[in-house]
Amino acid sequence: MVDVDGTYARWLDGIGAEFVLLRPDFYVAETAHDPVRLRSHLGTVLNGLHLTTGRPVAAAAR
């Protein structure tokens, strides 16, 4: 995504965030002020998706 007119940059500055996770439909999923929080928020979002690999967990971990 390219923030052509700076709308996202101004908004992120206003809330003190450096990162934003955007959904494919451009809705904001999460924001974070540092990489650690970004990783935490990303984990939360991914867990909420309930993704599966089609393989048992034990097999996927090998």
Side-chain angles (χ1 to χ4, degrees):
M1 181 196 77
V2 177
D3 186 14
V4 219
D5 61 2
T7 301
Y8 281 110
R10 284 189 300 278
W11 175 67
L12 288 169
D13 284 345
I15 63 171
E18 292 287 323
F19 304 95
V20 62
L21 292 174
L22 289 178
R23 297 179 349 184
D25 58 3
F26 296 103
Y27 279 88
V28 174
E30 294 284 347
T31 61
H33 63 275
D34 63 43
V36 173
R37 294 287 295 184
L38 177 64
R39 176 172 277 192
S40 171
H41 291 317
L42 183 56
T44 301
V45 169
L46 291 175
N47 286 335
L49 293 176
H50 305 288
L51 301 175
T52 61
T53 63
R55 299 182 296 181
V57 175
R62 287 187 226 152

